[in-house]
């Protein structure tokens, strides 16, 4: 049976997911993969890794969530976009 993740770990992954514009499970998977690559096993270090990844994403300057929202808005305003058959 899979253990229930820690609340603080979920919160850190949630903030990363919001910043990247992806689901929380995808963000948690990104953190888990990077943690396994770096040999990190304890929960406190994974939380720190998620926070570091969030800081890196914020320093990048590109807000993927806003970018995706703008792209979806452009599709709806396209005059050649069919809404029904």
């Amino acid at each position: 049976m899979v253990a229930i993740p820690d609340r603080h770990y979920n919160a850190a992954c949630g903030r990363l997911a919001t910043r990247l514009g992806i689901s929380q499970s995808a963000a948690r998977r990104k953190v888990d993969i990077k943690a396994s690559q770096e040999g990190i096993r304890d929960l406190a270090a994974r939380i720190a890794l998620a926070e570091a990844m969030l800081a890196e994403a914020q320093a990048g300057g590109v807000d993927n969530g806003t970018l995706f929202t703008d792209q979806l808005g452009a599709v709806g305003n396209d005059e050649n976009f069919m809404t029904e058959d």
Side-chain angles (χ1 to χ4, degrees), residues 15 21 26 33 35 39 46-47 60 65:
R15 288 189 296 273
I33 290 170
R46 284 181 186 245
I47 293 171

Side-chain angles (χ1 to χ4, degrees), residues 12-80:
C13 291
R15 288 189 296 273
L16 179 62
T18 300
R19 179 63 185 175
L20 296 178
I22 59 177
S23 70
Q24 186 172 1
S25 62
R28 190 170 43 242
R29 204 169 322 128
K30 281 182 172 286
V31 174
D32 289 341
I33 290 170
K34 189 161 185 170
S36 68
Q37 289 173 345
E38 295 181 8
I40 297 172
R41 292 184 178 251
D42 63 310
L43 186 61
R46 284 181 186 245
I47 293 171
L49 178 63
E51 294 294 337
M53 289 174 69
L54 175 62
E56 182 180 319
Q58 288 173 337
V62 176
D63 185 7
N64 289 340
T66 305
L67 178 65
F68 293 149
T69 302
D70 291 342
Q71 288 175 343
L72 287 174
V75 170
N77 294 333
D78 189 2
E79 63 187 51
N80 295 324

